[in-house]
């Protein structure tokens, strides 16, 4: 830790007679420098620790007593400092050719909200919205019109462009059916499980023409056999029929994954944060979560150090400069 002691000159003006005191340089006026501010943000955001945990760490490890209010002020400054990164991440996510989108419940101010994520190979953009709806979906994507990879939520099924449905969701449903005690339901689930797993494996080993025709024939037979049933097997067969055009989009578009694991993995840390803290209590808290999660996951995707990015962001804020965004471009 480096502590700089400022001795400020004070004197009376000979012209007006008032007392004047020299100001502290702008980069030191907050009391906490860029590196300590970035460390607090790293502990609170990147690792999801509560304010008291950050306070305990600063006191025990660094020997710096700091109040909870001071920690919150630092986090507020960091939220402002990383806003340029957040805006650029949002722009890049909405310009990606392929978008992996998912959402999960989020608790805010004693009300149910939703944490949305739009991920690509290079960035992950998060947004907290009051609703899980078509309106929220379009607030997330704005004018994006790329290839969507998602689960079977109805809003996604109405996507007008190409869409790859998540095979992992269908495989989990088939596995659940296969474990049912009723023989016919278990038979349907086991059959669907084998065929869907074989389809997923085609992402690594593309099928020959004959292999594809044989697989397609088996899937059609499965759907015909169970389509008219009124039980869970029939509902699953009808779901497969509805999703038919979205099952194998990854085979005809290079770089598209057969599952939505990319966005689900990006949401995992947000889910753990929600379980620890029970969400957020203000709009200011929502902005902090959106920005630090977007920066954290994007740094992970690009193998960049979140801490060094935070140091540069806070330093730029203190000096009134634009941060270095070249690594994001």
């Amino acid at each position: 830790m480096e502590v700089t002691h400022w001795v400020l000159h004070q004197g009376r003006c000979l012209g007006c007679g008032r007392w004047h005191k020299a100001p502290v340089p702008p980069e030191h006026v907050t009391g906490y420098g860029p590196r300590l501010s970035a460390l607090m943000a790293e502990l609170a955001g990147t690792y999801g620790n509560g304010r008291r945990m950050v306070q305990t760490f600063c006191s025990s490890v660094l020997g710096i007593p700091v109040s909870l209010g001071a920690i919150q002020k630092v986090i507020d400054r960091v939220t402002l400092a990383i806003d340029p990164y957040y805006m650029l991440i949002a722009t890049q996510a909405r310009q990606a050719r392929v978008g992996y989108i998912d959402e999960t419940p989020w608790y805010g101010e004693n009300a149910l909200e939703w944490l949305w994520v739009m991920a690509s190979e290079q960035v992950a953009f998060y947004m907290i919205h009051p609703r899980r709806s078509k309106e929220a979906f379009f607030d997330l994507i704005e004018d994006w019109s790329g290839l969507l990879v998602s689960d079977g939520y109805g809003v996604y099924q109405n996507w007008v462009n190409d869409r790859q449905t998540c095979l992992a969701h269908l495989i989990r449903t088939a596995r659940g059916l296969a474990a049912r005690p009723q023989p016919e339901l278990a038979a349907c689930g086991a059959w669907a499980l084998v065929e869907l797993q074989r389809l997923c494996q085609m992402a690594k080993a593309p099928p020959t023409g004959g292999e594809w025709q044989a697989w397609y024939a088996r899937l059609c037979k499965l759907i015909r056999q169970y389509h008219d049933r009124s039980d869970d097997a029939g509902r699953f067969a009808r779901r497969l029929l509805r999703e038919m055009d979205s099952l194998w989009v990854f085979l005809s578009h290079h770089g598209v994954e057969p599952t939505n694991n990319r966005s689900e993995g990006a949401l995992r840390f947000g889910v753990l944060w929600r379980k620890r803290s029970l969400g957020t209590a203000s709009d200011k808290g929502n902005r902090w979560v959106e920005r630090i999660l977007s920066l954290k996951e994007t740094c992970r995707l690009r193998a960049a150090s979140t801490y060094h990015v935070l140091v540069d962001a806070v330093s730029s804020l203190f000096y009134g400069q634009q941060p270095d965004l070249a690594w994001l471009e």
Side-chain angles (χ1 to χ4, degrees), residues 12-25:
R12 184 186 297 275
C13 176
L14 298 179
C16 66
R18 295 180 179 179
W19 283 92
H20 294 273
K21 184 178 181 180
V24 177

Side-chain angles (χ1 to χ4, degrees), residues 8 12 19 35 37-38 44 75 113 130 141 160 192 231 259 261:
L8 304 177
R12 184 186 297 275
W19 283 92
R35 293 175 61 82
S37 297
I75 289 176
E113 297 183 327
I141 67 171
V160 295
D231 55 11
T259 69
N261 292 344

Side-chain angles (χ1 to χ4, degrees), residues 156-235:
Y156 304 140
Q157 291 186 11
N158 296 324
W159 183 241
V160 295
N161 297 315
D162 290 330
R163 182 179 77 89
Q164 169 64 49
T165 193
C166 178
L167 296 185
H169 280 76
L170 296 174
I171 288 173
R172 284 197 291 268
T173 302
R175 184 175 286 113
L177 275 178
R180 299 284 284 274
Q182 297 86 349
E184 292 189 355
L185 294 182
C188 174
W191 186 359
L193 180 61
V194 170
E195 300 304 336
L196 290 170
Q197 286 178 332
R198 184 174 286 117
L199 175 61
C200 200
Q201 291 167 0
M202 292 178 187
K204 298 181 179 178
T208 64
E211 290 172 340
W212 174 255
Q213 291 177 3
W215 180 88
Y216 184 77
R218 292 193 302 270
L219 179 67
C220 291
K221 182 179 179 181
L222 168 68
I223 294 174
R224 286 196 306 269
Q225 182 168 328
Y226 293 96
H227 182 273
D228 296 330
R229 295 174 63 94
S230 59
D231 55 11
D232 288 341
R235 282 186 283 273

Side-chain angles (χ1 to χ4, degrees), residues 56-190:
T56 301
F57 178 88
C58 290
S59 176
S60 176
V61 179
L62 304 180
I64 303 175
V66 57
S67 67
L68 296 177
I71 294 174
Q72 184 58 53
K73 288 182 179 180
V74 168
I75 289 176
D76 292 344
R77 294 189 193 104
V78 175
T79 303
L80 181 61
I82 62 178
D83 190 66
Y85 298 89
Y86 182 70
M87 296 303 173
L88 183 56
I89 289 171
T91 299
Q92 293 198 353
R94 291 162 177 161
Q95 292 176 347
R97 183 179 67 90
V98 183
Y100 300 80
I101 296 179
D102 203 358
E103 77 292 327
T104 189
W106 186 264
Y107 309 127
E109 294 186 273
N110 299 319
L112 177 62
E113 297 183 327
W114 294 86
L115 176 64
W116 293 74
V117 64
M118 182 178 186
S120 68
E121 293 184 352
Q122 296 293 320
V123 298
F125 169 58
Y126 294 77
M127 179 192 75
I128 295 177
H129 198 279
R131 287 174 290 278
R132 183 188 186 223
S133 61
K134 182 178 180 180
E135 174 192 353
F137 174 61
F138 283 107
D139 285 345
L140 177 74
I141 67 171
E142 290 191 349
D143 57 353
W144 178 75
S145 59
L147 194 155
L148 172 63
V149 181
S150 69
D151 56 28
Y153 178 40
V155 169
Y156 304 140
Q157 291 186 11
N158 296 324
W159 183 241
V160 295
N161 297 315
D162 290 330
R163 182 179 77 89
Q164 169 64 49
T165 193
C166 178
L167 296 185
H169 280 76
L170 296 174
I171 288 173
R172 284 197 291 268
T173 302
R175 184 175 286 113
L177 275 178
R180 299 284 284 274
Q182 297 86 349
E184 292 189 355
L185 294 182
C188 174

